[in-house]
Amino acid sequence: MCGITGWIDWHRDLTQCSGILEQMTETLSARGPDAKGTWISGPCALGHRRLSVIDPVNGAQPMIRQTERGAYAIAYNGELYNTKELRSDLQSRGHQFLTQCDTEVLLVAYLEWKDACVERLNGIFAFAIWDEAEQRLFMARDRLGVKPLFYARGEGWFVFGSEPKALLAHPDIEPIIGLEGMAEIWMVGPARTPGHGVYDALSELRPGHTLRYDYNGLAISTYWKLESVPHEENAEETASHVRMLLEDTVERQLVSDVPVCTLLSGGLDSSALTALTVRHYERHGLGQVHTYSVDYVDNDKHFQAHAFQPNADEPWIRRMVEKLGTEHHWIKFDTPELVASLEEAVRVRDLPGMTDVDGSLLRFCREIKQGATVALSGEAADEVFGGYPWFHREEALSANTFPWALATPLRASLLKPEVAEHIRAEEYVADRYAQAVGEVPALPGEDAQSARMRVMSYLNITRFMPTLLDRKDRMSMGVGLEVRVPYTDHRLVEYVFNTPWEIKTYGGREKGLLRKALEGVLPDDVLYRKKSPYPKTHNPNYLNIVRRKALDRLDDSTSPLHQFVNAERIRDIAASEEASSHLPWFGQLMSGPQLFAYLLQVDVWLREYNIRVAW
């Protein structure tokens, strides 16, 4: 996995601007600690930082292929899981290869099929290819948006990068936030509306889209989106199909020339991936699988079960480690480490994020990186199979807003009234929700309940999943760790999206279909364990520290927060029971303590990035 950046400028010879390209590329060094490369030809400049996973010796980038028509150059971030099939197909069409890396396969696939190459790819990717003869840049992003890609454009120029920091290193791009950016931060964050880069100048290439840039300007096309089709198989057949897809996906995603591990929480999703990995290792004589888990000092003393986190993970991790015989690594952090990680997580993400949930993942990935370069993670199973509580709670199903963000009035009340009015706080969320619902592909003849659950599935896959994939990408690549997410395989997502809700909830359980598909793979007690999310600290010291720090910021007259927030309202919350509430204001994990931590992250971001607000 890697970091990419680049620049097209029709008014300059970019060979004279190599210093700027170097600066942009260097911002992505954490994503690619193993090597770096730049390439400039006339109006095109490409930069690349490499994390070596496949064919470390021969996979240097940007990679160039000379043809009779001219040069083709690629900067690529990702992994193709059908490299073997693509290579064989391309060889049968007369192409020859000099390396074993998927970068060359992707570049040759573009030579053969041009823009349509993306339809043949199974993997996670964001890439840019410069066609010298056509003087054209072609870019694409994977179907579910596992790998990020941002861009900005001006009169006669275009800049792109894996992360906002690469674009912000360009002298023509300033860290300015407009009304929509403020609404994204205060009312939607830590999520983002697809396509929005929050910064005024930045846009995001949406998942499943391609982009072409040439003398005529910019053109964006959709090559993949969820479609609704009738589901013809019964529950038994559906479970068998899901199992086949999942087994194939895991097999594909275990291909690597560097050490691989799995993240193990003891829950259904991660336990399944670990069990399938162990089976693969045993069949191929690859030795013992390494697994990793994260927890917090004294969490066992302070844990209290509630609707969003019904049980602790540690006993279930031990159960799976004993069952599968993995080499397990227990990683624990203390409260001061979590607080310290808040600022670092902002610098990695370039935006305020999921506070200690981000920070703990960043530290967790740093520990994993000491023993592995690639990890498999259970991200996205809940969005795909309907595991979150809001799939099953009437107040969320009937809320007429994003079900993971039911606290819109509370969030609006944190702002100064004039700010809330200026950014149309609650209306902005309502508009974004209406936009998302308007995209849902209807299935003719579907009854009202089934149609509503289809909407819920679509919202979770296209609006909530990207938030967690963003988090996973930034925090893992922030330390040079590649995390693969088998549940985002587009074949699996397409199939399960169209599975009727009564089959998804087979046996009357959340994720009942996945449980049915995994019978015989996991012990029954693990198979039917109640869902528990990514672990967070339950130590009351965390709340006490972030609440005090947030109040200290409000007592500081120089804090940029004063431009936006209703300080008295926040002080009232700090003094009330809302401060320690388990009712999330975003997702399952961001409740009272995370509200104060989010304010701290916004303060850090506004200061360190020298954000200028364009009212």
Side-chain angles (χ1 to χ4, degrees):
M1 214 58 69
C2 309
I4 65 173
T5 190
W7 178 15
I8 308 295
D9 198 319
W10 305 122
H11 304 310
R12 304 192 213 186
D13 177 359
L14 294 187
T15 59
Q16 306 302 310
C17 303
S18 59
I20 296 174
L21 179 63
E22 291 282 354
Q23 292 170 17
M24 294 166 62
T25 305
E26 191 58 28
T27 66
L28 302 172
S29 59
R31 297 185 71 91
D34 297 330
K36 67 177 180 179
T38 58
W39 180 84
I40 303 177
S41 178
C44 176
L46 300 178
H48 187 268
R49 292 290 315 206
R50 187 181 184 208
L51 176 66
S52 300
V53 174
I54 302 292
D55 197 358
V57 175
N58 298 309
Q61 294 190 50
M63 183 175 285
I64 316 302
R65 175 66 71 106
Q66 294 287 346
T67 73
E68 64 276 6
R69 296 184 66 254
Y72 293 85
I74 184 172
Y76 161 55
N77 168 29
E79 295 289 345
L80 297 185
Y81 303 131
N82 63 335
T83 298
K84 182 178 178 181
E85 295 96 321
L86 283 173
R87 185 193 304 274
S88 178
D89 190 354
L90 290 164
Q91 285 174 330
S92 72
R93 296 167 185 264
H95 295 281
Q96 297 181 336
F97 293 89
L98 302 175
T99 76
Q100 295 301 311
C101 66
D102 57 347
T103 306
E104 186 181 20
V105 171
L106 176 54
L107 182 55
V108 174
Y110 177 79
L111 296 182
E112 178 65 30
W113 297 300
K114 294 299 187 285
D115 299 11
C117 70
V118 294
E119 299 170 11
R120 299 171 180 263
L121 307 180
N122 180 322
I124 53 178
F125 52 83
F127 65 85
I129 295 176
W130 173 249
D131 182 333
E132 190 172 57
E134 297 286 341
Q135 293 286 281
R136 185 183 84 144
L137 184 75
F138 175 73
M139 301 173 63
R141 192 170 174 215
D142 65 69
R143 294 169 179 82
L144 277 301
V146 178
K147 291 291 104 182
L149 190 55
F150 296 90
Y151 67 90
R153 57 176 171 154
E155 186 62 39
W157 59 265
F158 178 88
V159 176
F160 69 88
S162 295
E163 298 178 8
K165 56 174 58 71
L167 288 85
L168 293 171
H170 190 281
D172 291 339
I173 300 176
E174 298 181 70
I176 298 173
I177 304 295
L179 292 179
E180 285 200 359
M182 286 191 289
E184 290 284 314
I185 291 294
W186 291 112
M187 299 306 300
V188 178
R192 282 185 297 107
T193 300
H196 282 248
V198 179
Y199 296 89
D200 241 20
L202 270 60
S203 297
E204 175 192 50
L205 183 62
R206 291 185 64 169
H209 283 67
T210 62
L211 179 154
R212 295 174 298 282
Y213 182 73
D214 58 20
Y215 285 118
N216 297 317
L218 183 71
I220 295 176
S221 300
T222 304
Y223 73 89
W224 182 88
K225 61 183 178 180
L226 287 169
E227 296 181 350
S228 293
V229 297
H231 185 84
E232 305 294 345
E233 297 177 305
N234 63 30
E236 293 284 344
E237 293 166 335
T238 301
S240 177
H241 195 126
V242 166
R243 179 158 172 171
M244 178 272 295
L245 285 172
L246 193 56
E247 288 175 338
D248 180 69
T249 297
V250 171
E251 290 270 342
R252 291 175 181 276
Q253 297 197 19
L254 286 172
V255 174
S256 174
D257 290 337
V258 295
V260 179
C261 68
T262 72
L263 310 186
L264 178 62
S265 70
L268 174 67
D269 313 330
S270 67
S271 296
L273 297 184
T274 302
L276 293 174
T277 300
V278 168
R279 288 186 174 193
H280 175 85
Y281 269 50
E282 289 175 346
R283 281 198 304 271
H284 296 277
L286 298 175
Q288 192 174 30
V289 173
H290 286 248
T291 52
Y292 290 79
S293 64
V294 63
D295 204 349
Y296 308 93
V297 174
D298 291 336
N299 242 19
D300 54 336
K301 298 177 183 177
H302 300 292
F303 178 81
Q304 293 182 346
H306 57 87
F308 294 98
Q309 198 146 18
N311 46 52
D313 286 333
E314 184 171 334
W316 298 96
I317 296 170
R318 292 189 184 280
R319 172 82 169 97
M320 287 307 301
V321 169
E322 181 180 343
K323 173 70 176 177
L324 298 174
T326 66
E327 177 67 33
H328 192 69
H329 305 263
W330 300 89
I331 309 298
K332 283 195 175 186
F333 302 119
D334 205 350
T335 298
E337 295 174 282
L338 292 180
V339 175
S341 71
L342 289 173
E343 294 190 9
E344 186 180 5
V346 172
R347 299 181 194 110
V348 170
R349 192 190 270 260
D350 297 318
L351 291 167
M354 295 185 74
T355 64
D356 57 306
V357 186
D358 275 5
S360 65
L361 181 59
L362 179 64
R363 288 179 174 268
F364 184 34
C365 289
R366 183 173 286 126
E367 294 294 322
I368 297 169
K369 176 66 176 178
Q370 295 181 28
T373 303
V374 177
L376 264 59
S377 172
E379 228 79 35
D382 287 304
E383 291 89 340
V384 174
F385 288 94
Y388 289 121
W390 49 74
F391 276 99
H392 310 275
R393 301 166 75 95
E394 183 56 38
E395 68 271 23
L397 290 171
S398 61
N400 201 34
T401 190
F402 297 112
W404 52 85
L406 302 180
T408 296
L410 167 63
R411 295 184 69 149
S413 76
L414 301 178
L415 300 173
K416 289 181 175 181
E418 61 271 25
V419 172
E421 180 179 1
H422 203 46
I423 67 173
R424 299 173 53 253
E426 296 192 50
E427 296 94 328
Y428 186 84
V429 177
D431 289 348
R432 292 306 183 200
Y433 177 72
Q435 176 191 25
V437 172
E439 296 173 5
V440 180
L443 183 65
E446 196 166 47
D447 62 61
Q449 183 193 21
S450 298
R452 178 58 188 160
M453 298 316 297
R454 185 175 297 275
V455 169
M456 284 288 286
S457 293
Y458 186 90
L459 292 176
N460 276 266
I461 292 169
T462 66
R463 296 306 192 272
F464 191 71
M465 183 193 294
T467 305
L468 300 191
L469 294 178
D470 265 4
R471 163 180 171 260
K472 186 70 78 172
D473 172 83
R474 300 306 189 284
M475 300 307 125
S476 60
M477 295 307 296
V479 297
L481 176 72
E482 175 184 326
V483 175
R484 299 176 179 176
V485 279
Y487 293 106
T488 64
D489 183 278
H490 70 277
R491 302 167 302 161
L492 182 66
V493 174
E494 290 170 350
Y495 183 75
V496 178
F497 176 70
N498 283 296
T499 299
W501 185 245
E502 59 267 24
I503 296 181
K504 286 183 185 176
T505 54
Y506 183 88
R509 286 296 306 274
E510 77 283 0
K511 291 192 290 192
L513 170 59
L514 182 58
R515 298 178 198 276
K516 175 67 175 172
L518 292 169
E519 287 180 350
V521 175
L522 297 176
D524 284 351
D525 54 347
V526 176
L527 190 64
Y528 294 102
R529 178 192 172 193
K530 187 75 173 175
K531 174 186 166 45
S532 190
Y534 178 86
K536 68 175 184 178
T537 182
H538 300 278
N539 193 325
N541 287 339
Y542 182 77
L543 167 61
N544 294 335
I545 293 173
V546 294
R547 174 169 51 189
R548 174 174 49 78
K549 284 181 171 290
L551 293 176
D552 287 345
R553 293 289 200 283
L554 295 180
D555 290 338
D556 178 1
S557 61
T558 68
S559 171
L561 288 175
H562 289 295
Q563 299 175 71
F564 309 105
V565 302
N566 181 341
E568 289 311 308
R569 172 70 174 121
I570 294 169
R571 289 190 177 99
D572 288 344
I573 292 174
S576 72
E577 292 184 1
E578 285 182 284
S580 57
S581 169
H582 289 307
L583 179 64
W585 64 272
F586 184 86
Q588 299 180 91
L589 300 177
M590 298 186 71
S591 53
Q594 285 70 37
L595 187 154
F596 300 109
Y598 190 74
L599 291 172
L600 291 173
Q601 287 199 321
V602 174
D603 181 89
V604 169
W605 174 66
L606 291 168
R607 292 178 195 258
E608 291 199 5
Y609 282 72
N610 296 311
I611 301 298
R612 182 159 63 86
V613 179
W615 291 92

